[in-house]
Amino acid sequence: MTFAKLGLTEHLLETLAQLGYQTPTAIQSQAIPTLLNGKDVLAAAQTGTGKTAAFTLPILHLLQGTERAPAKQVRALILAPTRELASQIGESVRQYSKGLGLRSQTVFGGVKAYAQINGLQRGTDILVATPGRLLDLMEQDAVAFDELRYLVLDEADRMLDLGFEEALNKLLARLPKGRQSAMFSATYSDPIKQLAKVWLNDPEAISIAQSNKVATTVRHQIYTVDKVRKPELLAELLRRQHWQQALIFTKTKRSADEVTDILQAEGFDAVAMHGDKPQYARLSALKSFKDGKLAYLVATDVAARGLDIEGLPVVINVDLPHVAEDYIHRIGRTGRAGLEGRAVSLVCADEVDSLRAIEALLKQRVPRKEIPGFEAEHRVPDSHPRSQKKAPKQSTPPNAKAKQKAAEPAKPELSQGPSLRSNPFAKAKK
């Protein structure tokens, strides 16, 4: 199938050709015709499937050639959960709408609202926004939605994860009902279905990929190490592997800063990106990384979803995520578009439960390695069932069973607490 068969205008087809888009992805093939026909859409699609174009192109097609938005009014609204994703969608809108004469704007928190308010004064055909900042602008009477015709909620599951449900309800109460809407999510969870009942009108359900599906082009690797030596081992791996770029994940903002400081002290070109950084610094770091000018970006999960980083060779987990599904979102930044990628994790003994959950999700045992000089004092137990070898049973002579039973001490009626043997990392009291 070609984009021409989807019914898009000639101008959009020319723009796509200039951008190097040849054939539509699965989500684009299904969502674009449905939205062009005026139907609401509830789509389950992972990041990296081309969903931004799947909802942006129909909006541009339907707005092309119509009257521009009046002052303060918005004709199409795209909501995104994070500043980074909103910025990326806004850039895609600008690329796809080149030469159409449509006004677009992106608004999010972390920066002063003055310039955003001025931009909204003349009217906006397509507004990309995060829920929090949009509510602030509505409270200041800087934007209105009487002319709204199209609404998109991107990564709706992530919005719920980040606690935006109340903000979304407030927004919904102030949006006109006579609009066409689309909701995109990585999962079809029950909360998403409930959200769809409120936001969508008789939507057509589209499911592209199974939830938590991992690209077959990604190779997984674990390096076992004690927790305190993780940054040191990370620097050693970067020296050995010579990766041109790496996206490095930590659990906390403090850890991201500490890892970045250590890498910079070792002479590596590294920058931290997390929620405490000023917005201009976050956007600058991300742009430098995407442009290939920055080698190592150390981030919290704020960068795990929706970021399209072309040709990224490796994702490194200094800390395993709290939730196994977030591992999938993190490593989804590599191995895209058929390219080979690597997912490297530094794992300590405290993370064995998280590791087991990730391997259960992957349905495979991830290979372990140790780097000489970085052997873990506290071993990481092997979570693969085959590794739990049982000692062969020794036959007991029939006449010895009675003697053996008589010699055994009586078992207590109640548990006397866990034995040290049940915890391989417990230390005996002296």
Side-chain angles (χ1 to χ4, degrees):
M1 178 180 288
T2 63
F3 281 103
K5 292 184 178 181
L6 299 181
L8 296 170
T9 64
E10 189 65 32
H11 185 96
L12 286 174
L13 294 177
E14 291 175 0
T15 299
L16 292 173
Q18 292 173 2
L19 293 173
Y21 289 30
Q22 299 178 349
T23 56
T25 65
I27 185 65
Q28 293 164 2
S29 297
Q30 294 189 50
I32 290 175
T34 303
L35 290 170
L36 289 180
N37 288 332
K39 286 277 294 179
D40 283 10
V41 163
L42 173 59
Q46 300 283 348
T47 59
T49 57
K51 57 186 176 66
T52 301
F55 58 73
T56 301
L57 293 174
I59 290 174
L60 295 175
H61 173 100
L62 295 167
L63 290 179
Q64 183 179 352
T66 61
E67 293 185 6
R68 284 187 171 182
K72 292 188 179 181
Q73 295 291 334
V74 174
R75 294 201 294 163
L77 172 63
I78 302 171
L79 291 173
T82 66
R83 306 164 186 174
E84 286 74 21
L85 182 57
S87 179
Q88 182 169 295
I89 294 172
E91 180 59 32
S92 295
V93 169
R94 285 187 286 274
Q95 286 184 336
Y96 301 148
S97 63
K98 188 176 180 180
L100 293 180
L102 297 173
R103 285 195 292 259
S104 65
Q105 187 172 343
T106 303
V107 297
F108 44 71
V111 296
K112 293 183 179 179
Y114 180 76
Q116 297 176 355
I117 292 173
N118 281 345
L120 292 168
Q121 289 296 313
R122 56 179 183 170
T124 308
D125 297 305
I126 303 172
L127 178 64
V128 184
T130 53
R133 174 50 60 94
L134 184 58
L135 276 176
D136 290 341
L137 293 172
M138 293 172 71
E139 293 297 329
Q140 298 180 57
D141 195 30
V143 62
F145 294 100
D146 305 283
E147 303 290 328
L148 186 71
R149 295 172 57 184
Y150 309 106
L151 171 69
V152 175
L153 275 75
D154 193 18
E155 297 205 356
D157 54 332
R158 184 64 169 160
M159 288 193 191
L160 296 182
D161 290 344
L162 293 174
F164 282 131
E165 186 171 7
E166 183 178 350
L168 290 175
N169 290 334
K170 289 182 179 179
L171 287 172
L172 179 63
R174 301 178 65 171
L175 299 180
K177 295 182 179 180
R179 64 178 190 274
Q180 183 182 0
S181 303
M183 183 183 296
F184 288 76
S185 171
T187 65
Y188 266 160
S189 63
D190 289 339
I192 289 299
K193 293 176 183 177
Q194 291 300 318
L195 192 66
K197 288 181 181 180
V198 177
W199 284 78
L200 306 180
N201 179 30
D202 188 26
E204 181 166 327
I206 299 174
S207 183
I208 299 305
Q210 293 182 353
S211 177
N212 303 323
K213 187 175 180 181
V214 183
T216 57
T217 53
V218 176
R219 293 189 295 127
H220 307 266
Q221 179 69 61
I222 284 172
Y223 291 92
T224 58
V225 64
D226 288 327
K227 184 176 182 179
V228 295
R229 300 198 68 191
K230 282 187 174 186
E232 187 183 352
L233 175 58
L234 173 63
E236 179 64 19
L237 288 173
L238 295 181
R239 276 189 289 266
R240 291 186 179 204
Q241 298 293 341
H242 303 293
W243 289 307
Q244 291 184 346
Q245 277 194 310
L247 179 56
I248 302 166
F249 282 104
T250 64
K251 268 185 182 178
T252 66
K253 293 175 281 191
R254 179 178 178 180
S255 180
D257 286 334
E258 290 175 349
V259 168
T260 302
D261 289 343
I262 291 173
L263 292 181
Q264 290 177 348
E266 293 290 327
F268 293 103
D269 181 23
V271 172
M273 186 177 80
H274 53 68
D276 283 351
K277 295 289 184 181
Q279 184 60 26
Y280 72 86
R282 292 167 62 179
L283 293 177
S284 176
L286 183 59
K287 185 177 187 305
S288 295
F289 191 66
K290 293 177 70 173
D291 291 345
K293 298 176 182 178
L294 174 66
Y296 305 115
L297 184 63
V298 184
T300 54
D301 282 310
V302 70
R305 289 199 189 190
L307 300 182
D308 187 7
I309 303 167
E310 186 176 350
L312 182 67
V314 62
V315 168
I316 302 175
N317 297 296
V318 173
D319 305 309
L320 292 183
H322 293 287
V323 181
E325 286 77 3
D326 287 340
Y327 176 86
I328 307 300
H329 299 311
R330 287 182 179 187
I331 68 170
R333 304 307 99 217
T334 187
R336 296 163 75 100
L339 298 176
E340 184 178 286
R342 291 193 65 184
V344 173
S345 299
L346 312 186
V347 180
C348 66
D350 293 343
E351 297 173 303
V352 64
D353 289 337
S354 297
L355 176 58
R356 285 171 179 157
I358 289 169
E359 290 185 318
L361 199 61
L362 296 174
K363 297 180 180 179
Q364 69 177 75
R365 177 187 181 275
V366 180
R368 277 97 162 135
K369 279 186 180 181
E370 275 191 338
I371 298 296
F374 292 90
E375 295 86 351
E377 179 181 348
H378 300 293
R379 313 299 293 180
V380 177
D382 198 323
S383 58
H384 195 275
R386 292 180 183 177
S387 68
Q388 312 300 323
K389 296 181 180 179
K390 296 182 179 180
K393 293 184 178 179
Q394 296 180 353
S395 59
T396 305
N399 61 349
K401 289 184 177 180
K403 293 181 180 180
Q404 179 179 339
K405 186 173 183 180
E408 290 176 353
K411 294 181 179 179
E413 292 294 329
L414 299 175
S415 171
Q416 295 179 348
S419 166
L420 285 175
R421 288 187 180 182
S422 67
N423 182 357
F425 309 116
K427 296 182 178 179
K429 294 182 180 179
K430 294 183 179 180

